[in-house]
Structures are given as structure tokens and as C-alpha cells.
Amino acid sequence: MAARAGVSLRKAVNFMMNLGGLDLGIDLGTANTLVCVPGRGIVLMEPSVVAIKTGTSPPVVPLDGRAVGNEAKRMIERTPESIKTIRPLKDGVIADFEITGIMLRYFIKKVQRRSWGVRPRIVVSVPSGATAVEKEAVKDSAIRAGARKVYTVAEPKAGAVGAGLKISEPVGTMVVDIGGGTTEVAVLSLGEVVTLESFGIAGDEMDDAVITYVRDVYGLEIGHRTAEEVKIAIGSAYPLQEEVTYEIRGKDIAAGLPRKLEISSAEIREAISGPIHQIIDAAKSCLDRTPPELASDLINTGITLLGGGAITPGLAELVSEETGLEARVAEDPITAVARGTAILLESLDEYEEVLGD
């Protein structure tokens, strides 16, 4: 009787775990945080932004805790002095532990509404260059946010797994993961990063480059949201078959008054060419340091582009032209890292050595 009761209890727990989606894979990014549940896919994708009331200790989130993620991003550069927006991650690592904890608790609670208080296991992606202290900070934030067990995994590993690459085999594979705050270029073999280039040139720097170009050429001051919008709308790394234009609005620096103008895709391509070529140079540097046997594998396996920057039109063509290797954009590159963390959760035994306990 006791044995049958034990079996029933285990079935009930497993049912609740599956229903609540307790295990979570998290891509904790500088620009966006994504949460993936094994078997259910991406359940949350929101900006890594928190709005807080100024002058409060500990920090207080306005609007009854709703100023996190999408709500907070809407407030960027539009808040009164009593409220400020914070991106708690810088260059892919936690810059503000307290605010990161607030953000994680909000996101985890949002996707765990039906878990009946059962604490999830979580795999969180971190930059390859993260120190032991930074990894512990990530784990601590997740534990405080309600996790019962936290693993960390290097972003290139998670991204490669999410892109369907066979990283556990003795064959060289290469990924270029262009996020919001960092770009990570890695060659992997046998589940480990063999050569790596990790640096703070990525989507944010492209936005900054657009802001600088518009200010210097047109005397128009625009914000980061506008710069990101125009970059996504008409930005490219390679000449387009048909160039297009986009209307942007900002403040005339000389007159101090609102003004709008039409800017071309060719101009935006020129504006972001600096960061784009820095990323390609990093890929070349990574290749230069790759052992010859693994480098020869890349003739067949090529380069896989991940992250939000991978969707820049013409980037794969430019990378192929500059490196001589076939470059391809992963399927749904923005979610590849998050999906990889969920795959790792589903096969913890297989990928145990890949994960940081």
C-alpha cells in the first residue's frame, strides 16, 4: 500500500512539474532575457530593463512591480526625475546584482504561475569569459529568485546546441554569437571551447554608431530606441539589391526643436560598418589561433551566426567573403541560446560536463 502511495505521489509531482514547466532555460542577455521551457519552447522574451523609483533603498519598482521588461523599455528616455530605467547587465555580465535579482524574480514568477510553489531547476547562459565570482553571482540571483538548482553554461556552447551543432564530437564547429552587449566567437570540439574571442562590440555599439552618424552628418540628436529601430528596419552589412529609406525623428542640435528626415540604407550600412568589421576581425583572429586539424574541419562545418546581430541582412555573405568559409545564419538565431539551455536541461546526463555546477 505504501509503495503504491509512493508511486502515486511521484506521478503527481511529475504531473505538476510538467504542467508548471518547472525546469527553465534562461538566456540572460544584456539587451533581452529569454526563457525557454523544455517541451514548450520560448515562453518569455523581454528586454533586460527595470524601472525603479529614485532615492529608495532597497530599490522600489513603480507601478506595482509592472515596470520590468517590456513595460520598462517603453519608459527609456521618457521618465521623470523620480523614475530611472536600468539595464542591470553590462557586456553580458551582472553590473547590478540587486536589480538583476528583481528582474529574474519577476520573469520567473511570470512563467511559473501554475507551479504551485515547486522550485525550478534552471540553466543560465553566461559569457565564456565570466569569472567564477560572476558565475556565482548569477547563480545566487537565480536562487534568490526561486530556483532550487542552478547550472551555468557558456553562451557559445548553449547557442551551438540550440543551433543543432554536434559539439560533443571530436570535430571543430564555429559560432559567432552577436548579442546586445557582447559578441562571442568560439571554435568548439568535444564539448569545450578551444579558441575564443569575447568582447564588448555588438548590437549596442551599432546603435551608438547610428546615433553618432546622424548627429555628425545631419546635426540631429536621436535616442537609442530610434537608433535601434532604424538599424533593424534598414540596416545591412552588404549592399542591398534595392536601397531603401526610413524616416527618423529627433531634436535639431542647433535649433533645439523637433525635426525629421529621411535616411538611406546605404548610410546606415556606412554607420555600422565599423562594429561589423570589428566582429569580422575577431572571427579572423579566432581562426588564426585555432589548431590546424580543427581549422580544417571548418571547411566542411563552416561558421554559424547566432544572436540578434546575425539577422543583419548581408552579414553572412560578408563573413563568407572575408574568411573564405561558408557562413550561415542559424534557424531563429535570436532564440538559439535559450533553446540550447532547454535542450541541456532535457539531457543533463549527456551534457553534464558541459554545464558548470
Side-chain angles (χ1 to χ4, degrees), residues 22-28 34-36 38 104 120-126 138-139 142 147 149-154 158 337-348 351 354-356:
L22 292 180
D23 289 344
L24 305 177
I26 299 179
D27 175 9
L28 189 61
L34 289 79
V35 179
C36 188
L104 272 175
R121 294 181 305 174
I122 292 178
V123 171
V124 185
S125 66
V126 296
V138 170
K139 291 180 182 180
K149 180 68 175 178
V150 182
Y151 302 89
T152 60
V153 60
V337 172
R339 289 185 287 111
T341 60
I343 293 170
L344 292 169
L345 271 170
E346 290 179 303
S347 308
L348 282 176
Y351 292 106
V354 172
L355 295 168

Side-chain angles (χ1 to χ4, degrees), residues 172 287 292-303 324-326 328:
L287 286 168
E293 291 298 328
L294 291 180
S296 65
D297 291 338
L298 299 178
I299 295 173
N300 294 323
T301 59
I303 301 172
L325 297 172
E326 180 187 358
R328 68 187 71 87

Side-chain angles (χ1 to χ4, degrees), residues 46-63:
E46 296 199 24
S48 301
V49 184
V50 180
I52 67 167
K53 293 181 179 178
T54 58
T56 61
S57 184
V60 175
V61 178
L63 305 177

Side-chain angles (χ1 to χ4, degrees), residues 17 24 27 33 54 57 84 99 116 159 171 179 191 200 213 255 302 305 313 346:
M17 290 176 70
L24 305 177
D27 175 9
T33 294
T54 58
S57 184
K84 67 176 180 179
I99 301 299
W116 292 291
V171 176
Y213 182 91
L305 306 182
E346 290 179 303

Side-chain angles (χ1 to χ4, degrees), residues 278-332:
Q278 285 180 280
I279 291 168
I280 293 175
D281 287 343
K284 291 179 178 179
S285 176
C286 190
L287 286 168
D288 184 57
R289 295 185 292 105
T290 299
E293 291 298 328
L294 291 180
S296 65
D297 291 338
L298 299 178
I299 295 173
N300 294 323
T301 59
I303 301 172
T304 302
L305 306 182
L306 313 170
I311 64 176
T312 304
L315 181 58
E317 290 87 342
L318 187 59
V319 171
S320 294
E321 184 179 285
E322 293 285 336
T323 63
L325 297 172
E326 180 187 358
R328 68 187 71 87
V329 179
E331 182 179 352
D332 198 359

